[in-house]
Amino acid sequence: MPDGSPVGAALIGGGENEFDRDTVLRRREPGVYDADLSAGWMAGPAMHGGYLLALAGRALTDTLRDPDPFTITAHYLTASRPGPAVLRTEASRPGRAFSSGHALLTQLDDNGAEVHRVRAIATFGDLGQLTDDVRTTAMPPSLPPPENCVNAVKEAPDGFPLPEMLRRLESLLDPSTLGWAMGAPSGRAEVRAWLGFADGRDFDPLGLLMAADALPPTALEMGLDGWFPTVELTVHVRCRPAPGLLRIGVVTRNLAGGMLEEDAEIWDSQDRLVAQSRQLAQIRTAPAS
Amino acid sequence: MPDGSPVGAALIGGGENEFDRDTVLRRREPGVYDADLSAGWMAGPAMHGGYLLALAGRALTDTLRDPDPFTITAHYLTASRPGPAVLRTEASRPGRAFSSGHALLTQLDDNGAEVHRVRAIATFGDLGQLTDDVRTTAMPPSLPPPENCVNAVKEAPDGFPLPEMLRRLESLLDPSTLGWAMGAPSGRAEVRAWLGFADGRDFDPLGLLMAADALPPTALEMGLDGWFPTVELTVHVRCRPAPGLLRIGVVTRNLAGGMLEEDAEIWDSQDRLVAQSRQLAQIRTAPAS
């Protein structure tokens, strides 16, 4: 019934905030979604990895019919470009409290051939159904108050090649982890920041997937210069975040073989560790094309 | 040519060591592999998660035609049982130095219906082709010499429900992280051990995938009692391990919502950090069925 079916029913997500509008999907058929990757979420020459992870997460929210990603991993195969993309998903529902699925994001290249961009798997459930026991030795990152941090957009030096996606965010960086921006990297592989959406949207689990990859690369503060594309990113969402700015700390312990890991801990305004993430990134010191 | 095709060509893996023999696959057709899950690798009521990860890794080694998993993530959907299993794989080769793929492990239930057991994605390449630069702040776990550690098999108390897979390993546990076994857990969420194969096999990247899940759960040393099934396990293999025992340290920072993460660092006999892993595990305090 092409004429009788309500158009609105095929839209997944959407709303007035930039992040929701830019991650809206159109369900073409069960398990097949059309997306339009927004140039507003580019990070250098490619689409931002956390944005792509959130898109995969949104598709799986619909496919799996569970609200929250408990754990999701994406592998970034080729650099995604702004414009049309297709997400194909596959579901497993083993009959427990969890569901699980796979998503493949593709685009067409200049010759019209389908290219694999991102592959993801995830386990979903309902964070609201979890027990509220907490035993943690993790501590929120030590950060100066927001007004003493460096606004990544407003205080960027003239001519700085600001990743476009930073304009969608309120990214308030700890000056003590920003030595690289002054030409004096500390050598310590740590970055810390407060993070919000520029338009005031509150964070939800899909927003956390984006946030897990939103800070400057730790490699810069290690004194490396170049481009650090993500090979793989895993996010564990442990709790629905309270409204307000997030605090994020990212550390790297091991650079080897031209790759490094970045571990992020994300805390909400109620001092809860709402997500833990790890990514494996490449070190490309040649200039990005 | 059913009669003319060499039978041996369809076998992936194999050899004289237990781990290789128990992870051998038969390629039925491109991207479809038959496995026979060995009861020797059970961990309690289900197959061991690291063993299953290695099986998925072996299938992808063949599908992707690259030797080494750089990063692999598995989601455990239902408890795998000893006996026949099928792995179906899917590949992406975006034309760079990396390849990437998906693997789904299934078994038949008692009614002959196919059940999804494990879903994995991975990025493969050749660890031998990586640069040998290393900058790390990670330190090998502090462990007493092997002869002062506790042999998990030989020194297990009478009647202790030893996971069967431990008999395939030489697991030498740091007594200072074994309080739980004496009824006096330290409360610190840390476990450390030396690890080898019982039959003297050396570790390779597939062996590391198993090793990432081979130590007792940190939850025991936190004083929890129960079963801690893995929801998701990600392993980054950073380097081919040298021969000899591994040193492994596992820590948990955050228990919340009935789940906890376990971070493992695996070091080889040449003091190199050869793998980093993280898993998300459930806490089930009810007795396992």
Side-chain angles (χ1 to χ4, degrees):
Chain A
M1 325 174 284
D3 288 327
S5 62
V7 172
L11 287 183
I12 315 300
E16 293 188 6
N17 290 105
E18 285 183 312
F19 179 74
D20 297 300
R21 203 177 56 218
D22 292 343
T23 56
V24 72
L25 299 172
R26 180 175 292 272
R27 192 197 308 115
R28 196 195 291 179
E29 58 187 80
V32 184
Y33 304 88
D34 288 297
D36 189 16
L37 309 190
S38 162
W41 292 93
M42 292 188 79
M47 298 304 306
H48 177 246
Y51 166 77
L52 296 170
L53 188 65
L55 270 174
R58 193 179 292 291
L60 288 167
T61 305
D62 183 68
T63 302
L64 299 176
R65 295 175 189 279
D66 269 323
D68 301 311
F70 286 0
T71 168
I72 182 166
T73 292
H75 288 233
Y76 300 89
L77 316 179
T78 54
S80 299
R81 310 292 179 198
V86 177
L87 277 146
R88 288 189 176 79
T89 60
E90 207 182 278
S92 304
R93 179 166 279 287
R96 294 187 305 177
F98 297 170
S99 57
S100 185
H102 174 245
L104 181 66
L105 188 147
T106 63
Q107 292 189 301
L108 300 182
D109 68 13
D110 292 342
N111 303 316
E114 187 182 81
V115 182
H116 292 188
R117 296 295 195 210
V118 183
R119 200 186 270 289
I121 55 175
T123 291
F124 273 62
D126 184 347
L127 287 166
Q129 297 295 313
L130 299 182
T131 60
D132 54 7
D133 56 318
V134 176
R135 289 167 61 181
T136 190
T137 58
M139 297 284 288
S142 166
L143 273 168
E147 60 274 19
N148 293 345
C149 287
V150 176
N151 186 304
V153 176
K154 293 179 188 155
E155 300 178 52
D158 282 347
F160 184 81
L162 199 70
E164 186 57 28
M165 46 82 59
L166 282 184
R167 299 185 196 280
R168 313 279 89 70
L169 301 174
E170 185 175 10
S171 181
L172 307 170
L173 299 158
D174 182 340
S176 75
T177 65
L178 255 184
W180 62 271
M182 328 297 175
S186 69
R188 291 186 306 273
E190 287 187 42
V191 181
R192 293 184 291 271
W194 298 89
L195 192 78
F197 282 103
D199 64 5
R201 179 192 190 275
D202 284 320
F203 281 94
D204 57 3
L206 292 184
L208 293 179
L209 303 188
M210 183 281 300
D213 190 32
L215 267 54
T218 54
L220 297 174
E221 196 61 2
M222 295 173 86
L224 296 172
D225 201 5
W227 187 40
F228 310 98
T230 305
V231 175
E232 175 258 346
L233 171 59
T234 295
V235 183
H236 296 175
V237 179
R238 304 296 296 273
C239 184
R240 283 194 193 131
L245 293 177
L246 302 174
R247 279 160 301 166
I248 305 181
V250 186
V251 297
T252 293
R253 288 164 61 80
N254 189 50
L255 180 159
M259 298 198 273
L260 60 125
E261 99 285 2
E262 281 194 4
D263 281 2
E265 289 189 345
I266 307 181
W267 296 76
D268 74 0
S269 60
Q270 291 184 8
D271 277 352
R272 293 180 306 183
L273 179 54
V274 292
Q276 290 170 294
S277 75
R278 175 174 288 172
Q279 69 169 263
L280 185 68
Q282 272 187 290
I283 299 163
R284 294 207 194 157
T285 44
S289 63
Chain B
M1 325 174 282
D3 288 328
S5 62
V7 173
L11 287 183
I12 315 301
E16 291 189 5
N17 291 106
E18 286 182 312
F19 180 74
D20 297 300
R21 204 177 54 218
D22 292 344
T23 56
V24 72
L25 300 172
R26 180 175 292 273
R27 192 197 307 116
R28 194 194 293 179
E29 58 188 77
V32 184
Y33 304 88
D34 288 297
D36 189 15
L37 309 190
S38 162
W41 292 93
M42 294 189 77
M47 298 305 305
H48 176 247
Y51 166 77
L52 296 170
L53 188 65
L55 269 174
R58 194 179 291 290
L60 287 167
T61 304
D62 184 68
T63 302
L64 300 175
R65 297 176 187 279
D66 269 324
D68 302 309
F70 286 0
T71 168
I72 182 166
T73 291
H75 288 233
Y76 299 89
L77 316 179
T78 54
S80 299
R81 309 293 179 199
V86 177
L87 276 146
R88 287 189 177 78
T89 61
E90 207 181 278
S92 304
R93 179 167 278 288
R96 293 188 306 177
F98 297 170
S99 57
S100 184
H102 175 246
L104 182 65
L105 188 148
T106 62
Q107 291 189 302
L108 300 182
D109 69 11
D110 293 342
N111 303 316
E114 187 182 81
V115 182
H116 292 188
R117 296 293 194 213
V118 183
R119 200 185 270 288
I121 55 175
T123 291
F124 274 62
D126 184 347
L127 288 167
Q129 296 296 313
L130 299 181
T131 60
D132 53 8
D133 56 317
V134 176
R135 288 168 61 181
T136 188
T137 58
M139 296 284 289
S142 167
L143 273 167
E147 60 273 20
N148 293 345
C149 286
V150 176
N151 185 304
V153 176
K154 293 180 187 153
E155 300 179 51
D158 283 345
F160 184 80
L162 198 71
E164 186 57 27
M165 44 82 60
L166 281 184
R167 299 186 195 279
R168 312 279 89 69
L169 301 174
E170 185 175 10
S171 181
L172 306 170
L173 299 158
D174 183 341
S176 74
T177 65
L178 255 185
W180 62 272
M182 329 294 175
S186 67
R188 292 186 306 272
E190 288 186 41
V191 181
R192 293 184 292 271
W194 298 89
L195 192 77
F197 282 103
D199 64 5
R201 179 192 190 276
D202 284 319
F203 281 94
D204 58 3
L206 292 184
L208 293 179
L209 303 187
M210 183 282 300
D213 190 32
L215 267 53
T218 54
L220 296 175
E221 197 62 3
M222 296 172 83
L224 297 171
D225 202 5
W227 187 41
F228 310 98
T230 305
V231 176
E232 176 257 345
L233 170 60
T234 295
V235 183
H236 296 175
V237 179
R238 304 295 295 274
C239 185
R240 285 196 192 130
L245 293 176
L246 303 172
R247 279 159 301 167
I248 306 180
V250 187
V251 297
T252 292
R253 287 164 60 82
N254 189 51
L255 180 160
M259 297 198 275
L260 66 140
E261 100 285 0
E262 281 195 4
D263 281 2
E265 289 188 345
I266 307 182
W267 296 76
D268 74 0
S269 59
Q270 293 184 6
D271 277 350
R272 294 180 307 183
L273 179 54
V274 292
Q276 289 169 295
S277 75
R278 176 174 288 172
Q279 70 169 263
L280 186 67
Q282 271 187 290
I283 299 162
R284 295 210 193 153
T285 44
S289 63

